[in-house]
Amino acid sequence: MDKLPKYTPREVNRQRPRRSKLTLALTLCSISAAAFLVSLSQLASFGKQSVQLPFHAEQALQKCQMLHAKPGPLPNFHTRTESDRFVKGTRATLIRNTSIWTGDEEQYEILQGDILFDKGIIKFLGHASQDLISNFKDLVTLDAGGSWVTPGIVDLHSHLGVDSAPALNGASDTNSLHGPVLPWLRSLDGLNTHDDAYRLSISGGVTTANVLPGSANAIGGQAFVIKLRPTTERSPSSMLLEPPYTINGTHVDPTLPPRWRQMKHACGENPSRVYGNTRMDTFWAFRQAYDTARQLKEQQDAYCTRALEGEWEGLGEFPDNLQWEALVDVLRGRVKVHTHCYEAVDLDDFVRLTNEFQFPVAAFHHAHETYLVPGTLKQAYGHTPAAALFATNARYKREAYRGSEFAPRVLAENGIDVVMKSDHPVLNSRFLLYEAQQAHMYGLQANLALAAVTSTPARIMGQDHRIGSVREGYDADLVMWDSHPLALGATPQQVWIDGIPQLSEPAVSTKPESFQHVPRTPNFDLEAAAAIKYDGLPPLTPKKVKDLVVFANVSSVFVADGVGGVMSVAGVGEGGVVIVKEGQVLCWGAATACSNHVADEDVEWVDLEGGSISPGLISYGSPLGLEEIQGEKSTHDGTVFDPLTGSIPSILAGSELIKAADGLQFSGRDTLLAYRAGVTMGITAPSSNGLIVGLSTMFSTGAAHRLEGGAVIQDVAALHVQIGHSNIGPSVSTQIAALRNILLGEESSNMFSEVAKGKIPLVVQVQNADIIASLIQLKNEVKAQTSTDIQLTIAGAAEGHLLAKELGEAGVGVILTPSRPFPNVWESKRILPGPPLTKESSFTTLLAHGVTVGIGIVEQWSARSTRFDIAWAALESDGKISKEQALALGSVNLEKLLGIPPSRSSGDLVVTRGGTLLDFEAKVIGIIAPRRGFVDLI
C-alpha cells in the first residue's frame, strides 16, 4: 500500500503486524522507560510539597525522552520482507545475466549476475539457483543479455511538481514571496501530481527526487523526498518516501526513531534580488531566525530538565511553536540542510553561521566556487558538506561566472562528496545522468561519477539504508541501460520503482559494442590545474602555431562537400596525415603520398593518436556573442524595440531592422569555450521580446575583435521574427496578420522585401504546431500572390514532428531548439520524446520526410556541448542518422537554413585527438581556420 504509517495506541499490533521480536522488545523497553520516567519524576518529587502530576506528564516525558534521538531506520529495517511501498499484485521479477553496478563502495561491479526482487525489495543478488527461484510463483524472468543495471537515479535537487511542466500560473508553487525566512513552508503542500515531467524523468532513469522549495528566500521551507512513479491513490502524500511521521497530523508511535527531514536555504544573489537586500541583510535574517530557534530549543531543554526532576509546579505545557519547530530540529541535527550557495563569500558566511549556531549542512547546492575553497567547506560544523553541482552549466550570473567543468574532479580529489543534480526544470532531470557523464569526461573517476547520481545523493539525504544501491534488502529501484551508463546517450531499457516496471513498451536503439564499456576520457590535467591557478578564470585564448603543420596518425577526415552535405574523405585511414599551410589543407592521405609537402620546411608535428578532422560546428539559438553574463544587463547588447507593443523612436525610422553584427562582443568566455570545443562559428540574431527580432550575423567564435580578418564571416545572414503566446504581447493571430502585411504590403522595409523575393531566409522562432501550420499557409499565400517561394525556416519546433509531411512538402526547414525536447510551456506540450518512450525522435521523423534539419541551443553556456548534441541525435536514431549526417546537423544544414552559401575550401575544420568529434573519448586539440589563414592549437 502507498500509505503513510500511522500510530493508534490501542491498535499497535493490528497496525504493525510484521514487527519483529527485536522491535517488540524495543517497544516494550521504550514504554517501560516512559513509565520509569514518570515514576522517576514522582520519586524526584518525594519529600517536597506534594504536586499532582499533570494529565500530559507521560506525553511530555516521552517528548523529552525523544528530544535528542537521532533520525534513522529501525535497527531491524533490513530484515523486512515487504516494502512499505509495495503494491499488492506486483509480480516477483528475476533479471538474469546482467552487469551490475551496485553502488557499494567495496564492490561496485558484479559481472554477469542475477537480481531477484519481490514485494518491492531486492531479495537476492548473485547467481540465482533453481531452488531459490522455485520459491517464487508467477515469476517474471528477463534475460538482460549482459546489459548494465544500476540503482535508480536519485536527484538531490529538483523542483518536480512545484515548478511544473508545462509552466502555468495555476501550478507555480516553487517560491513564496512573503518574507526571506519561511522554515514553516513545505514543498509537499504545492506538489502537483499532474506535472508532465514525471513520466519524462522516469524515462531517463530517475526514480527518486528531493523536491525543494525555490531559492528566492534565505530559508525557503521544508523539502520532501518522493518516488516518481504514479500511485493508485494519485495523491502527493502517496509519493513520499519516509516523510516525518507527523506529516499526516496523527499521533506518532513514540518508540519509532525520527525520520530525516529536509530543508532549503539560499544565499547570494537570489534572495538579494527578490527582496532588494544585500548579503549583509540576508545573513542577518539567517542569524535572527536561528537565534529565535535557539531560544525555543533552550526553553525545551530547560523544560525537560525540570520535568525529569519532577518539578511540575507551574511548568505548564511543553514549549513548542509550529512556525519554528522545523528550525529547532535543524539545531538538534535532525534536518538535512540543503543550501543554495555559489561563491566564496557566501560559502564562508554560511560556514560561520553553522559554527555560530552549531548545526550541520548536508550539501551546498550549485556551489560553483566550492572547488576553489575546499578548505572552507571542511571548517563547517559537524562534518564537511557535499557539493551538489552542474557539470558545465555556468556563467549565467555573476556568482556562477567562475564555475568550472573540473569542479567535480577537484572536489573529489580533496575528499569532498560530489553530487550531480538537475535543479529541474533548470535542467531536464530526464538527462541527469548526462551530468555524471560529463563530470566523468572532465576527470571525475567513473565510480564516483555514477555514485554522484545514485548512492551519494541517497546518503546525503539520509535514505542510503534503502535507495541508491543495488543490495539485498534495498528498495527495488533499478534501471537497465542499453549501454554503459557513462556512455553518451545511455538510455533505459526498463526502469523499476518499488519493483514495478515503469516503461510499458520501451523503444530501444542498438548501440555500438564499444558503448558497453566505461568510456576512455581525455587528459585534462593541465586545464584542471589552470582553473585553480587562475582562480576560476584560466586563459582561453588558443595558441597560434607555425605556418606548416602536419597532423599525424589521422584515422578519418570529414569535410563539407560544397553542395550542402558532409562527406568522409576516401584514402585517409589509420596512420594517415593531413598537412596544412597557412590554414589551407595541402594534402591528406598516406604519409608517403604527402611527403613532398614537408621537405626542408619548418614543421609543427601533431600526433592525433587515431583522431579525426571534421567540419567546424555552428552554434545557433542563444545570445552567444551578444551576452556575457545572462543575469547582468551591463554585459548584454540589450533588446530591440518591438513595433507591436511600443513605438519605434523616430531616429530609427527606415532602420527598424536591427543588425546583430553591430552589437557583437568577442572573446567572451562562453564564446571561447565553444571554440575550444569545436564550435568555430556562431550565427546570432538580436535579442527581442516581441515579434520583430532583426538580422542575424555569422561570426568566428575564435576571433579577438570585429576588425580581425575573418571575424565577421557574413554581416547579414537571415531575417528573424518570433511568434507565440505572451502575457504582454498581442494575440498570435495579430502577430501572423502583422507578418502577412509586412510580407505582402507595399511599405515593406528593404530586408523584408528581400525575404518576399526569396533572397534571404525568414527564420521564425515558434514551438507550436498550430502556429507552424499557419506559417506554412502564409508561405503558400505569399507564393500565390507574388509567385515567389520564400525561404522559410522554423526554429524551435518542439511540435514540428506533427507536421513533418507538410513541412517537407512545403520545403520548410527546421532548427530543433533545444535538440532534446521538453514541454516547458503549453506551446511545447506535444513533444516527441524519443527513446525509450517513442521509437522515433523529431530528428528521424523530420528527416524521413525530406526536411532539412539543424540543431540549436537556448543558452550560450551549452554551445560547447554541440558536438555531443549531434552525436546524441545519431545514437538514438537506431542507425538512421550516419556520422556524416550528424555532423551536417551542426554545420552545413545550419548554413543552408540560415542563409550562408555552402563552402568547401574556406570552412573551418576541427582537429580531435583520440577519436572523432562525436566521441566522448576525443579531445579537441586544434582548429584549422582557412578564412583567417592559420591553425590554432588548444
PDB file of all heavy atoms in Angstrom, residues 18-25 76 79:
ATOM      1  N   ARG A  18       4.027  -6.945  11.216  1.00  0.00           N
ATOM      2  CA  ARG A  18       5.280  -7.647  10.944  1.00  0.00           C
ATOM      3  C   ARG A  18       6.403  -7.198  11.876  1.00  0.00           C
ATOM      4  O   ARG A  18       7.559  -7.325  11.557  1.00  0.00           O
ATOM      5  CB  ARG A  18       5.697  -7.439   9.480  1.00  0.00           C
ATOM      6  CG  ARG A  18       4.769  -8.153   8.509  1.00  0.00           C
ATOM      7  CD  ARG A  18       5.280  -8.034   7.092  1.00  0.00           C
ATOM      8  NE  ARG A  18       4.516  -8.866   6.207  1.00  0.00           N
ATOM      9  CZ  ARG A  18       3.367  -8.528   5.666  1.00  0.00           C
ATOM     10  NH1 ARG A  18       2.854  -7.351   5.934  1.00  0.00           N
ATOM     11  NH2 ARG A  18       2.718  -9.346   4.868  1.00  0.00           N
ATOM     12  N   ARG A  19       6.053  -6.609  12.980  1.00  0.00           N
ATOM     13  CA  ARG A  19       7.082  -6.181  13.912  1.00  0.00           C
ATOM     14  C   ARG A  19       7.830  -7.394  14.461  1.00  0.00           C
ATOM     15  O   ARG A  19       7.225  -8.346  14.941  1.00  0.00           O
ATOM     16  CB  ARG A  19       6.436  -5.382  15.035  1.00  0.00           C
ATOM     17  CG  ARG A  19       7.443  -4.778  15.992  1.00  0.00           C
ATOM     18  CD  ARG A  19       6.753  -3.853  16.976  1.00  0.00           C
ATOM     19  NE  ARG A  19       6.409  -2.595  16.344  1.00  0.00           N
ATOM     20  CZ  ARG A  19       5.739  -1.638  16.945  1.00  0.00           C
ATOM     21  NH1 ARG A  19       5.318  -1.824  18.183  1.00  0.00           N
ATOM     22  NH2 ARG A  19       5.475  -0.518  16.324  1.00  0.00           N
ATOM     23  N   SER A  20       9.136  -7.349  14.405  1.00  0.00           N
ATOM     24  CA  SER A  20       9.938  -8.495  14.847  1.00  0.00           C
ATOM     25  C   SER A  20      10.053  -8.532  16.359  1.00  0.00           C
ATOM     26  O   SER A  20       9.644  -7.619  17.067  1.00  0.00           O
ATOM     27  CB  SER A  20      11.347  -8.391  14.251  1.00  0.00           C
ATOM     28  OG  SER A  20      12.019  -7.309  14.854  1.00  0.00           O
ATOM     29  N   LYS A  21      10.627  -9.592  16.841  1.00  0.00           N
ATOM     30  CA  LYS A  21      10.830  -9.710  18.281  1.00  0.00           C
ATOM     31  C   LYS A  21      11.716  -8.586  18.794  1.00  0.00           C
ATOM     32  O   LYS A  21      11.502  -8.045  19.871  1.00  0.00           O
ATOM     33  CB  LYS A  21      11.456 -11.068  18.589  1.00  0.00           C
ATOM     34  CG  LYS A  21      10.519 -12.243  18.351  1.00  0.00           C
ATOM     35  CD  LYS A  21      11.195 -13.550  18.722  1.00  0.00           C
ATOM     36  CE  LYS A  21      10.258 -14.731  18.483  1.00  0.00           C
ATOM     37  NZ  LYS A  21      10.912 -16.013  18.815  1.00  0.00           N
ATOM     38  N   LEU A  22      12.719  -8.226  17.971  1.00  0.00           N
ATOM     39  CA  LEU A  22      13.613  -7.136  18.388  1.00  0.00           C
ATOM     40  C   LEU A  22      12.839  -5.840  18.526  1.00  0.00           C
ATOM     41  O   LEU A  22      12.970  -5.103  19.502  1.00  0.00           O
ATOM     42  CB  LEU A  22      14.759  -6.982  17.380  1.00  0.00           C
ATOM     43  CG  LEU A  22      15.703  -5.784  17.625  1.00  0.00           C
ATOM     44  CD1 LEU A  22      16.353  -5.906  19.007  1.00  0.00           C
ATOM     45  CD2 LEU A  22      16.755  -5.723  16.531  1.00  0.00           C
ATOM     46  N   THR A  23      12.001  -5.576  17.523  1.00  0.00           N
ATOM     47  CA  THR A  23      11.220  -4.343  17.564  1.00  0.00           C
ATOM     48  C   THR A  23      10.267  -4.353  18.744  1.00  0.00           C
ATOM     49  O   THR A  23      10.075  -3.343  19.434  1.00  0.00           O
ATOM     50  CB  THR A  23      10.419  -4.185  16.256  1.00  0.00           C
ATOM     51  OG1 THR A  23      11.318  -4.317  15.169  1.00  0.00           O
ATOM     52  CG2 THR A  23       9.742  -2.832  16.195  1.00  0.00           C
ATOM     53  N   LEU A  24       9.630  -5.506  18.978  1.00  0.00           N
ATOM     54  CA  LEU A  24       8.706  -5.617  20.106  1.00  0.00           C
ATOM     55  C   LEU A  24       9.441  -5.358  21.413  1.00  0.00           C
ATOM     56  O   LEU A  24       8.941  -4.664  22.308  1.00  0.00           O
ATOM     57  CB  LEU A  24       8.069  -7.004  20.113  1.00  0.00           C
ATOM     58  CG  LEU A  24       7.007  -7.250  21.205  1.00  0.00           C
ATOM     59  CD1 LEU A  24       5.865  -6.256  21.069  1.00  0.00           C
ATOM     60  CD2 LEU A  24       6.490  -8.681  21.115  1.00  0.00           C
ATOM     61  N   ALA A  25      10.652  -5.890  21.490  1.00  0.00           N
ATOM     62  CA  ALA A  25      11.440  -5.674  22.692  1.00  0.00           C
ATOM     63  C   ALA A  25      11.755  -4.198  22.880  1.00  0.00           C
ATOM     64  O   ALA A  25      11.671  -3.652  23.982  1.00  0.00           O
ATOM     65  CB  ALA A  25      12.739  -6.486  22.625  1.00  0.00           C
ATOM     66  N   ASN A  76      16.126  -3.131  12.779  1.00  0.00           N
ATOM     67  CA  ASN A  76      15.863  -4.352  12.014  1.00  0.00           C
ATOM     68  C   ASN A  76      15.320  -4.046  10.618  1.00  0.00           C
ATOM     69  O   ASN A  76      14.677  -4.896  10.007  1.00  0.00           O
ATOM     70  CB  ASN A  76      14.863  -5.222  12.767  1.00  0.00           C
ATOM     71  CG  ASN A  76      13.493  -4.542  12.876  1.00  0.00           C
ATOM     72  OD1 ASN A  76      13.406  -3.311  12.845  1.00  0.00           O
ATOM     73  ND2 ASN A  76      12.443  -5.332  13.006  1.00  0.00           N
ATOM     74  N   THR A  79      15.653  -6.499   7.783  1.00  0.00           N
ATOM     75  CA  THR A  79      15.026  -7.814   7.902  1.00  0.00           C
ATOM     76  C   THR A  79      13.590  -7.791   7.383  1.00  0.00           C
ATOM     77  O   THR A  79      12.915  -8.825   7.415  1.00  0.00           O
ATOM     78  CB  THR A  79      15.023  -8.284   9.366  1.00  0.00           C
ATOM     79  OG1 THR A  79      14.189  -7.419  10.142  1.00  0.00           O
ATOM     80  CG2 THR A  79      16.432  -8.286   9.941  1.00  0.00           C
TER      81      THR A  79
END
